[in-house]
Amino acid sequence: MIFDTHMHCQYSIDSRMSLEDAMDAAARQGIGMVVTEHWDEDYPTNPEAFVFDIGDYFKKFGQHRSKSVLLGIEIGMQESTAAHDDSLGREYPFDFILGSMHCVNGRDLYEAKTYDGKTKVEAVREFLTATLANLRLHDNFDSFAHIDYMCRYMPYAERELIYAEAPELFDEVFKLLVAKDKAIEINTRRLDEPQAVETLLVLYKRFRELGGRYATLGSDAHYAEHVGRRLGIAREIAEAADLVPVYFEQRKMQRMIL
């Protein structure tokens, strides 16, 4: 079964989708799903916005848990929260933990002011440097999410991640993921843009060249109509980069049956 391993339901403040909506959408497509509600402690624009009652989450969603409906979390990594972030995976029985970068040096990548006074290359290099710092501190996650997250919001004419603009930093990030035996996510949000596919494929191929082997596929859906979106394109990218599509159940890697 193909799994959409990244989606947000009612425990994520920015989601407009219930668990039942997500399950119906996945069932119609014949795909499995992993819920990954947001967990971003000390979020700079609103410290309490992206945390939730994890015990209640398991109590209410746990009754729907099955081989095709799995329960995870998306942890927004910050250096100041690393110790507690890592403890969550030991405290609760997640199937999957997705590690993300939503903030850089205490600033929200969503906010335009985060990029004030910086060229695009400077902003990307700051993001990669902060990513490295966080990856060194965070161990308890399974896959690294949406490396191109900032591309959604950067206020520059050229918004893609270009490997040649920071090759040594991209390599350090990929080598660290490999050393920690982590997968990388192929996030489908921007895969309707040919230039995004082209530039991201360069990065995923480089991840493979440096020893990476596995990829999770995730829509990052916040609405039912986005569940499973562009998973076909993500599969093609994985094949072109020679990465094996996987998902996680009880924190154990499973190969997708394509």
Side-chain angles (χ1 to χ4, degrees):
M1 179 179 282
I2 302 299
F3 272 78
D4 183 341
T5 66
H6 187 167
M7 65 182 66
H8 301 278
C9 298
Q10 59 258 41
Y11 287 91
S12 294
I13 194 171
D14 57 349
S15 173
R16 299 297 178 268
M17 173 172 67
S18 69
L19 176 64
E20 291 75 16
D21 291 339
M23 291 170 60
D24 288 345
R28 285 195 301 271
Q29 298 174 65
I31 62 175
M33 54 175 276
V34 186
V35 182
T36 51
E37 302 288 31
H38 280 299
W39 183 270
D40 285 73
E41 283 193 293
D42 294 336
Y43 203 74
T45 51
N46 188 335
E48 302 299 324
F50 295 103
V51 295
F52 61 97
D53 186 333
I54 300 178
D56 192 63
Y57 166 64
F58 277 105
K59 180 180 178 180
K60 292 181 178 174
F61 283 15
Q63 60 189 307
H64 300 285
R65 204 172 192 173
S66 69
K67 298 295 286 186
S68 59
V69 178
L70 303 175
L71 301 183
I73 192 169
E74 180 186 9
I75 290 179
M77 299 185 293
Q78 296 192 72
E79 294 172 65
S80 60
T81 64
H84 189 233
D85 289 344
D86 275 7
S87 74
L88 291 177
R90 293 185 292 273
E91 186 175 355
Y92 296 98
F94 296 108
D95 286 300
F96 177 52
I97 297 180
L98 189 60
S100 299
M101 288 288 295
H102 297 133
C103 303
V104 168
N105 297 325
R107 304 192 314 280
D108 185 351
L109 287 167
Y110 175 85
E111 297 285 331
K113 62 184 179 182
T114 294
Y115 308 92
D116 286 351
K118 294 181 177 63
T119 66
K120 181 246 185 170
V121 173
E122 289 170 341
V124 170
R125 293 183 70 89
E126 182 186 29
F127 162 73
L128 292 171
T129 300
T131 297
L132 277 168
N134 274 280
L135 290 178
R136 292 186 182 113
L137 292 173
H138 287 79
D139 290 308
N140 202 354
F141 68 99
D142 304 305
S143 183
F144 180 62
H146 47 46
I147 195 168
D148 63 329
Y149 176 78
M150 68 189 304
C151 299
R152 304 175 188 178
Y153 310 114
M154 288 192 294
Y156 307 110
E158 166 56 63
R159 294 194 305 160
E160 299 302 330
L161 295 182
I162 308 300
Y163 174 75
E165 291 179 343
E168 78 287 359
L169 291 174
F170 280 115
D171 281 2
E172 285 190 65
V173 168
F174 295 150
K175 287 177 182 177
L176 190 49
L177 289 172
V178 170
K180 288 175 174 279
D181 196 27
K182 307 302 183 185
I184 195 167
E185 180 187 69
I186 300 176
N187 188 284
T188 71
R189 167 113 172 223
R190 302 176 60 250
L191 298 186
D192 59 338
E193 303 175 26
Q195 190 178 6
V197 173
E198 180 181 346
T199 53
L200 285 168
L201 183 55
V202 172
L203 298 181
Y204 295 130
K205 284 183 174 181
R206 185 58 177 159
F207 174 68
R208 180 68 182 97
E209 288 171 357
L210 293 172
R213 191 72 183 96
Y214 302 104
T216 55
L217 315 179
S219 67
D220 208 350
H222 291 66
Y223 299 84
E225 57 267 31
H226 292 161
V227 171
R229 61 179 167 182
R230 308 185 191 105
L231 285 184
I233 301 175
R235 288 170 58 187
E236 291 173 1
I237 290 173
E239 182 177 1
D242 192 27
L243 295 173
V244 178
V246 298
Y247 67 100
F248 288 78
E249 182 179 0
Q250 296 181 10
R251 303 295 304 282
K252 294 181 174 62
M253 184 185 291
Q254 313 288 331
R255 293 195 180 201
M256 294 191 197
I257 300 173
L258 305 180

